[in-house]
Amino acid sequence: MSTDTTPLDTSDLDAELDSAGLLDGATADLLFREARTAGAFTADEVTDAQLRAAYDLAKWGPTAMNVTPLRMLVVRTPEARARLAAHMNEGNRQRVLDAPVTLLLAADTRFHQHLPLLAPHRAEMVDRFEAMPQVREQMARNNAWLQAGYLIVALRAAGLAAGPMGGMDAAAIDADLLAGTGWVSLFVVNVGQAEGAQYPFPRAARLDWDQATRTL
Ligand SMILES: Cc1cc2nc3c(=O)[nH]c(=O)nc-3n(C[C@H](O)[C@H](O)[C@H](O)COP(=O)(O)O)c2cc1C
């Protein structure tokens, strides 16, 4: 495994992106290369308008049959954050209490109700999905996870930092905060302006192309 953490020389890549008329180097840094998982946040408020701006980008990411099952519980008040924090693993608890706002990301197992809008050419699937709860839940989870990735990048595009955390008692969260919704929780994302340069440790390496791919 590579342990090389020397900064990537992105000049060739930047030139390639620029010449292809794609995103410029500064945008690539903002969304990917310089964007870190945030562990601590300033006291700056995160407005609903900022969260909506991020969602309005993320919602365009593709999902199977356009089912778009990602749902979010915006956990904002101190009371709500304390309720969520009680179900987080100990190491993650204080971060939820301290964050300006936390998004509880969930998958809607009843996403098929929206198919007449989202997939009008497949509206007959509403009844078929109704009869297949296990297939539905798997499809909801898979596609909501995909959308969660789009959301993290969209939060960065909206000028926000994201601190995703999966260490939590998901079943307890579903029973407490999501009861009666048909939503199942995936993970939480603390959102705000990042405080401090480094999330508890320096940025770790990523696998490069040769390590992560095979070509047939
Ligand atoms: C789905 C998901 C779950 C995560 N769960 C936790 C967690 O429970 N606690 C934690 O401290 N960090 C958690 N992280 C943060 C990761 O460790 C971090 O994003 C990763 O190491 C990359 O860090 P970087 O963006 O600073 O390079 C999680 C990240 C993701 C995407």
Side-chain angles (χ1 to χ4, degrees):
M1 193 182 88
S2 169
T3 54
D4 181 9
T5 56
T6 50
L8 183 69
D9 178 1
T10 59
S11 49
D12 287 350
L13 181 58
D14 284 353
E16 202 173 312
L17 292 174
D18 284 347
S19 69
L22 302 176
L23 69 173
D24 59 86
T27 309
D29 285 345
L30 174 77
L31 300 182
F32 298 104
R33 296 186 302 218
E34 296 294 330
R36 295 262 347 242
T37 296
F41 299 90
T42 67
D44 291 322
E45 187 196 353
V46 176
T47 64
D48 281 342
Q50 287 174 295
L51 296 177
R52 276 171 187 265
Y55 178 76
D56 281 343
L57 294 174
K59 71 183 182 186
W60 294 110
T63 53
M65 269 180 66
N66 199 32
V67 289
T68 53
L70 179 69
R71 304 290 182 264
M72 301 193 290
L73 187 69
V74 179
V75 181
R76 190 183 277 290
T77 65
E79 296 74 25
R81 277 186 282 132
R83 197 168 149 196
L84 175 61
H87 304 301
M88 300 302 298
N89 291 0
E90 203 176 324
N92 292 335
R93 200 164 292 153
Q94 195 60 41
R95 293 204 197 120
V96 166
L97 294 173
D98 291 344
V101 69
T102 300
L103 302 176
L104 172 61
L105 304 195
D108 185 359
T109 63
R110 299 198 56 75
F111 64 83
H112 58 305
Q113 294 174 320
H114 300 286
L115 284 185
L117 170 74
L118 298 172
H121 54 298
R122 302 300 305 276
E124 86 283 357
M125 290 301 292
V126 175
D127 291 340
R128 289 180 60 188
F129 272 128
E130 182 64 32
M132 300 187 290
Q134 286 177 333
V135 170
R136 253 194 289 127
E137 177 164 347
Q138 194 60 50
M139 195 164 171
R141 287 183 183 276
N142 289 348
N143 285 279
W145 269 100
L146 191 57
Q147 288 188 278
Y150 306 143
L151 181 74
I152 290 172
V153 177
L155 286 165
R156 294 168 173 175
L160 297 162
M165 301 195 306
M168 63 190 204
D169 185 340
I173 288 175
D174 293 354
D176 182 3
L177 288 97
L178 301 181
T181 61
W183 301 3
V184 289
S185 58
L186 303 176
F187 63 98
V188 305
V189 185
N190 295 323
V191 180
Q193 301 297 332
E195 167 102 56
Q198 304 282 1
Y199 182 71
F201 35 80
R203 190 167 219 194
R206 301 297 202 259
L207 300 183
D208 62 26
W209 170 266
D210 291 332
Q211 293 169 303
T213 68
R214 291 182 180 187
T215 302
L216 293 179

